[in-house]
Amino acid sequence: MKSPMQLIEEIIRAKMALHLRLVAHRNDGEMDIGGKSIDDLIAEVDAGIPSYERMLVFFKNKVAAELMESVEADGASEHPRKDVMHRRAAR
């Protein structure tokens, strides 16, 4: 099963590929696809990309925060005197 980050990355790649295909059709002289303007289709595809990028950043930040918390917890349990030394240095 894919993680949320992997799914979002796939969606972003698919939207970018669709954008490039639509631009190629427009460059070939086509003005519409299925009765809809290619420029309108490109705008629709592009409008959704930033929201997926924000979701991807959110999930990456969440994973990074969890990783940092676990590293800090492991570090504190491995070096109990380290915390005491930091408290003494802060005085």
Side-chain angles (χ1 to χ4, degrees):
M1 179 175 238
K2 295 181 181 182
S3 73
M5 283 191 299
Q6 290 171 320
L7 293 172
I8 294 169
E9 287 171 341
E10 282 184 22
I11 291 169
I12 292 170
R13 281 193 299 274
K15 283 184 164 282
M16 294 303 296
L18 178 57
H19 170 93
L20 294 173
R21 286 186 183 136
L22 289 169
V23 169
H25 283 289
R26 183 180 62 191
N27 290 343
D28 287 341
E30 292 182 49
M31 297 309 292
D32 65 341
I33 295 177
K36 195 155 189 184
S37 165
I38 287 183
D39 289 332
D40 291 343
L41 293 171
I42 291 171
E44 283 181 34
V45 169
D46 290 352
I49 292 173
S51 62
Y52 285 105
E53 289 173 335
R54 282 190 299 273
M55 280 192 283
L56 183 61
V57 168
F58 169 78
F59 280 111
K60 285 186 175 185
N61 285 342
K62 185 177 175 183
V63 168
E66 291 170 356
L67 179 64
M68 288 172 54
E69 286 175 5
S70 71
V71 167
E72 288 174 357
D74 289 344
S77 66
E78 289 178 16
H79 306 287
R81 298 182 117 216
K82 188 176 183 180
D83 292 335
V84 173
M85 291 173 57
H86 283 297
R87 281 189 232 134
R88 286 183 186 163
R91 290 182 193 172

